[in-house]
Amino acid sequence: MSQAALQARVRTMRYEADGIVSVELTPLQAGTFPPFDAGAHIDLHLPSGVTRSYSLLNSTDERDRYVLGILSDVKSRGGSRYVHEQLRVGSVLGISAPRNNFALDESAAHSVLIAGGIGITPILCMYRRLRALGHSVQVLYCGRKRSQAAFLAELDALGGVDTHFDDEAGGPPNLKAYLEKQPRDAHVYCCGPAPMLGAFEDACRELGIEHVHLERFSADTTVARADDAGYIVELAQSGKTVEVPAGKTLLETLLEAGIDAEYSCMEGICGACETRVLEGEPDHRDSVLSTAEKASNKVMMICISGCKSGKLVLDL
């Protein structure tokens, strides 16, 4: 399991919208948290035994706190349900240092930030940063209902935000029409539910937008999850060799062999299990690495990816 590098105390919990609470964490001991960049997330190691990743939404200038926005997911596997039903102010949690798979390009002449539902959390952090830098940026915040939209007051205070609510507009947003109005060299970002991300990717492809960034908070179901035929993995650091049988993931095999491998989401979306590949060709099935990163075969997410070459040598 990914290790809790830090100890934090829950300072405040606040209702933000229907089904959404914010959680403010402060260092358990005197001092500050590690710095983070816009788009970063941390792992919460909950007392229930589960570990879940959540995006940071507060200003990157702040070192004395981390703030998260957490949706009570009806399909919760135990993380958000615990936060909403059992977590209390004063609780002490283990957390990871920040990681960033959704990094903001601060050199862009113009940025477009699109959020769907709880996807507003990293987008709000990005917007704060770009406004603080005085950069050109446009935000579109979408949701089914206004009552389910968190942090509207903070966005209104920053200004320049477009909103779209399905019940008021009579249907989902037309992302292609929205993006058509943006400069073609803009860097465009989207975080939201799978259908929205699909529409976003289609629109960017049709419009020829090159600088496209997205983050999923659930696994990409369009990626094949076929079982591997079985393969061999050599571990360079430990000197061990393991055989991954058909129907079992690499991570499961490593853990059963007593290998101390870091992981969190087990769905290929958080990046905690990123591991260097020294030899061999992985079968990439994650939603973290870019197309170019996957083509380079320098790293892989061992929680969900497999092997195409029959053998891998990993830096473990």
Side-chain angles (χ1 to χ4, degrees), residues 174-184 203 206-207 209:
N174 185 333
L175 296 183
K176 182 179 178 182
Y178 186 81
L179 290 170
E180 274 182 328
K181 303 173 184 177
Q182 307 298 331
R184 288 297 176 269
E206 291 176 25
L207 294 171
I209 297 174

Side-chain angles (χ1 to χ4, degrees), residues 105-138:
D105 188 328
E106 297 182 359
S107 67
H110 180 68
S111 299
V112 181
L113 311 178
I114 301 176
I118 196 60
I120 192 60
T121 51
I123 295 298
L124 175 54
C125 186
M126 290 176 166
Y127 192 40
R128 292 186 203 277
R129 177 62 179 166
L130 291 171
R131 290 301 295 261
L133 293 172
H135 289 355
S136 175
V137 55
Q138 187 65 40

